[in-house]
Amino acid sequence: MAGVQTAVALREQGFTGPVTVLGAEPHQPYDRPPLSKAVLLGKAEDSAFDIDFEALGIELRLGTAVTGLRPAERLLDTEAGPVPYGVLVLATGAEPVALPGSEGVPGVHLLRTLDDAARLKPVLDSASAVVVVGAGWIGAEFTTAAREAGCAVTVVEAADRVLAGALPAEVAAPMGHWYAQAGAELVTGAKVASVEPGRVLLADGRELAAGAVVVGIGARPATAWLAGSGIERGPDGSVTADAHLRTSLPGVYAVGDCASFPSARYGTRLLVHHWDNALQGPRAVAANILAGEPVRAYDPVPYFWSEQFGRFVQYAGHHGGADTLLWRGDPAEPTWSVCWLRDGALVAVLAVGRPRDLAQGRKLIESAAEVDPGRVADPAAPLKSATA
């Protein structure tokens, strides 16, 4: 997503020089969100971008894995030989974290690529018993698809609740009930001891039958190939980009899931593994490349969505550092929202089936205007009316 959008943005903004996109996968560039939904359920063959690369003068080199970077020579090392560059944009994304000890075990799956979805589709078609490891966003989305396909699903989460790394306990609690409502079994506070063909053994001695095991325990920036290149990376492996998405090397930018950037809006460095970041960041990168100097800083209000258990969940902002949490509506009801404030201003909003709250809340976050907490907490009052 981020690499393709950078190439397209360069053309849209008037860049006339050669543009080459290198990708390790053999497939035409595609969108990832449908993989856990329409593609997995057989409602779509693939999710290739509707982009005429030839008409745009963008050269695609598919099935070409990049193995190293030689900045002094401005060369990329690939399996097909060295590739020179004038300006380089790193958009290698993230890779799923494997469950220790599960590598090579038959029937264990990750869900990140089109090939992953293709391997998983027969599992859903056979309606076998599935164990999902991880109750995060991807675990919830896959569980939704598997239940729709008629699979018996058991979800194992090492933390004591769902979305432990993403949301506060009180906000995630009602979302944990969605699993049982969908007919899936949720087992929290449970560590996987080992995975064997046909079963998952938990650390407490329990044994779960598993026709397939799907692992969704997180993702990390796909940047190991940059070792020794001189590009600065953070403890999480992300490329440490500046406010203009430049890396520590001249002429090299980084965008999307592989890059962190400093947010003046939130006063911290952000690593955003979501689709909207891979759409918006490339436009800033393209503008800075065309100008030949840093003209456009990148400081978005992060946004993402998730479709799970018949609900449309949206989130905008960053709630780290918030000092006030306000509910809009009853989380036992089908639709509700949560708003986070810091120093009287809205900094994040989570909306379940309330897209208007999300749209209006996002604009309030962008404006940084002070809001009336009473109006924010009134689900009948439009959020846009909450400015103090």
Side-chain angles (χ1 to χ4, degrees):
M1 176 71 175
V4 165
Q5 291 300 330
T6 300
V8 171
L10 282 165
R11 289 295 187 233
E12 287 178 345
Q13 295 181 30
F15 184 76
T16 56
V19 176
T20 304
V21 177
L22 299 169
E25 292 184 65
H27 312 289
Q28 283 289 306
Y30 59 88
D31 210 4
R32 292 193 192 280
L35 297 185
S36 61
K37 307 170 186 72
V39 173
L40 199 56
L41 289 168
K43 296 176 181 178
E45 191 109 336
D46 60 33
S47 55
F49 291 117
D50 185 18
I51 298 170
D52 191 336
F53 293 100
E54 188 175 352
L56 289 172
I58 296 171
E59 180 187 356
L60 294 180
R61 296 193 191 178
L62 305 175
T64 305
V66 178
T67 56
L69 169 62
R70 287 183 272 166
E73 302 161 79
R74 296 222 167 190
L75 285 177
L76 283 169
D77 288 317
T78 79
E79 295 169 335
V83 176
Y85 68 87
V87 175
L88 175 65
V89 180
L90 306 177
T92 47
E95 56 195 4
V97 176
L99 183 67
S102 69
E103 294 91 336
V105 178
V108 177
H109 300 264
L110 299 167
L111 180 52
R112 179 76 186 181
T113 68
L114 187 60
D115 289 336
D116 292 338
R119 284 188 287 266
L120 269 169
K121 189 178 174 299
V123 172
L124 269 61
D125 290 343
S126 67
S128 60
V130 179
V131 171
V132 177
V133 182
W137 300 115
I138 197 69
E141 291 184 2
F142 177 80
T143 299
T144 300
R147 287 299 299 138
E148 188 175 328
C151 299
V153 183
T154 302
V155 181
V156 178
E157 170 56 54
D160 60 358
R161 58 188 177 84
V162 304
L163 294 165
L167 294 172
E170 61 187 298
V171 178
M175 304 169 83
H177 299 313
W178 298 349
Y179 287 80
Q181 293 169 11
E185 182 181 358
L186 174 64
V187 182
T188 57
K191 289 185 169 58
V192 174
S194 65
V195 179
E196 301 173 1
R199 65 177 187 165
V200 174
L201 300 176
L202 303 183
D204 62 8
R206 279 179 287 180
E207 180 180 318
L208 305 175
V213 178
V214 178
V215 179
I217 56 175
R220 60 183 164 226
T223 59
W225 67 279
L226 289 168
S229 68
I231 286 193
E232 183 184 341
R233 291 181 290 162
D236 55 12
S238 64
V239 175
T240 306
D242 69 7
H244 299 89
L245 298 179
R246 298 175 298 177
T247 72
S248 57
L249 292 180
V252 182
Y253 295 79
V255 68
D257 288 9
C258 73
S260 66
F261 56 89
S263 170
R265 185 190 309 277
Y266 291 106
T268 190
R269 179 166 284 275
L270 298 179
L271 175 61
V272 182
H273 280 190
H274 293 297
W275 185 92
D276 192 64
N277 181 50
L279 174 67
Q280 304 296 342
R283 297 169 181 171
V285 166
N288 293 328
I289 290 174
L290 261 77
E293 58 181 341
V295 295
R296 183 169 167 183
Y298 185 60
D299 194 6
V301 173
Y303 167 74
F304 75 90
W305 79 95
S306 175
E307 295 176 65
Q308 52 183 268
F309 307 114
R311 294 165 174 86
F312 188 43
V313 182
Q314 295 172 284
Y315 178 97
H318 175 69
H319 64 267
D323 52 43
T324 304
L325 186 153
L326 299 171
W327 291 86
R328 284 173 61 81
D330 182 350
E333 296 296 321
T335 66
W336 48 274
S337 297
V338 173
C339 294
W340 286 268
L341 276 57
R342 186 184 64 205
D343 298 330
L346 189 68
V347 292
V349 57
L350 171 77
V352 177
R354 291 180 65 108
R356 191 170 297 172
D357 278 2
L358 191 287
Q360 295 180 10
R362 194 175 185 180
K363 289 179 179 176
L364 285 177
I365 296 169
E366 288 171 348
S367 73
E370 281 196 34
V371 294
D372 177 349
R375 297 287 290 175
V376 170
D378 180 359
L383 261 183
K384 65 182 179 182
S385 72
T387 48

